[in-house]
Amino acid sequence: MNLVLFGPPGAGKGTQAKLLTEARGLPQLSTGDMLRAAIAAGTELGLNAKAIMDRGNLVSDDIVIGIIAARLDRPDAANGAVFDGFPRTIAQAEALDRLLESRGQKIDRAIELKVNDEALIRRSESRVKEMLATGQTPRTDDTPETLRNRLGVYYKNTAPLIAYYRNQGKLKTVDGMAAIPEVARSIAAVIEGRA
Ligand code: ADP
C-alpha cells in the first residue's frame, strides 16, 4: 500500500508517518528528513538545499523527485511506503504517479491532515521551546518568519494537491487538531476502508 500524507508544516505528518511505520511496516519516505540528512552529511546537494530550506522555500522538483526515485529502488519500498512531505507540488505528484506506475504500483490513499494556522504557529513555538528546554537544537527553519513563509508556500504550491487527489478519488481528509492517538485512529479507519 502506498499512502501520501500531506498538510501544512507542523500538521503532524512526521508523527503519524512514524506511527504508520510501526503499525504496518511501511517505510516512511520523508523528503524533509532526507534533505536534512544530506545537509548533515555535507554533500553538495545538502549545501544547495540548506539555504532554500532555511528560508522556507521549496527545493526544486527535479532534486526531490530524483531523491524519491532512488529511494523507491531500495528493497524495503517494494511493497509500498508512507510518503511524508512529498509530493508538495502538482509536478511532484505527477512524477510520483509515473514512478509508481513504472513499478506496477499506485497511490492508494492521499490523506490531508487539516489544522488551523494559529494552532500550527502555537505548535511550532512549543516544539521550539520544548527542544531548547531539553538541550536539543531546534530546526533552523522553525523561526516565526520562516514558518509564516512555509505556510504561504503550502497554500500556494501544495494545497492544489487536494483537488489533484480528489479528482483521482483518493483524497481523505482527517482532522489533524485531535490528539495524536485519535488522529492515528482516523488514519487507520481510512486505510482499512472504514472512513
Ligand atoms: P514541514 O512539513 O514541517 O515543513 P519537512 O521536513 O517536510 O517539514 O520539510 C522541510 C523543508 O524541506 C521544506 O520547507 C522544504 O524546504 C524542503 N522540502 C521537503 N520536502 C520537499 C519537497 N517534496 N519538495 C520541495 N522541498 C521540500
Side-chain angles (χ1 to χ4, degrees):
M1 168 171 285
N2 286 290
L3 297 170
V4 168
L5 280 186
F6 71 103
K13 301 180 291 286
T15 303
Q16 295 298 331
K18 284 193 179 66
L19 293 173
L20 281 169
T21 295
E22 284 165 24
R24 297 176 195 265
L26 296 170
Q28 174 191 10
L29 270 53
S30 160
T31 40
D33 285 352
M34 294 177 208
L35 291 166
R36 281 185 289 276
I39 294 174
T43 64
E44 198 183 325
L45 187 154
L47 282 177
N48 292 331
K50 182 168 167 46
I52 299 168
M53 290 168 73
D54 281 349
R55 286 196 299 271
N57 293 327
L58 294 183
V59 172
S60 80
D61 287 337
D62 287 352
I63 288 180
V64 291
I65 291 165
I67 293 179
I68 283 287
R71 183 65 185 82
L72 282 175
D73 285 335
R74 297 210 341 228
D76 63 337
N79 296 318
V82 181
F83 295 89
D84 158 15
F86 180 93
R88 249 178 164 90
T89 63
I90 295 286
Q92 291 177 23
E94 290 171 346
L96 180 58
D97 282 347
R98 285 193 297 269
L99 284 170
L100 290 174
E101 200 186 336
S102 69
R103 289 163 174 78
Q105 296 190 38
K106 61 173 173 44
I107 293 298
D108 295 288
R109 285 275 175 270
I111 300 173
E112 178 206 5
L113 291 176
K114 219 183 167 86
V115 284
N116 78 48
D117 288 4
E118 277 107 89
L120 289 177
I121 291 169
R122 279 198 305 274
R123 272 187 189 180
S124 158
E125 283 169 356
S126 61
R127 177 158 75 179
V128 170
K129 271 194 204 131
E130 209 178 281
M131 291 187 82
L132 289 171
T134 54
Q136 296 165 273
T137 313
R139 274 169 48 176
T140 48
D141 61 352
D142 259 346
T143 64
E145 309 80 68
T146 307
L147 181 65
R148 229 164 291 131
N149 187 42
R150 281 157 65 205
L151 275 174
V153 166
Y154 175 79
Y155 289 114
K156 180 165 179 272
N157 298 288
T158 309
L161 294 181
I162 297 171
Y164 182 85
Y165 287 117
R166 185 184 289 128
N167 290 339
Q168 292 191 351
K170 294 177 181 171
L171 180 76
K172 292 284 175 184
T173 300
V174 161
D175 176 13
M177 299 303 298
I180 290 170
E182 189 159 328
V183 177
R185 278 195 291 277
S186 305
I187 292 176
V190 165
I191 294 173
E192 290 158 19
R194 293 181 281 112

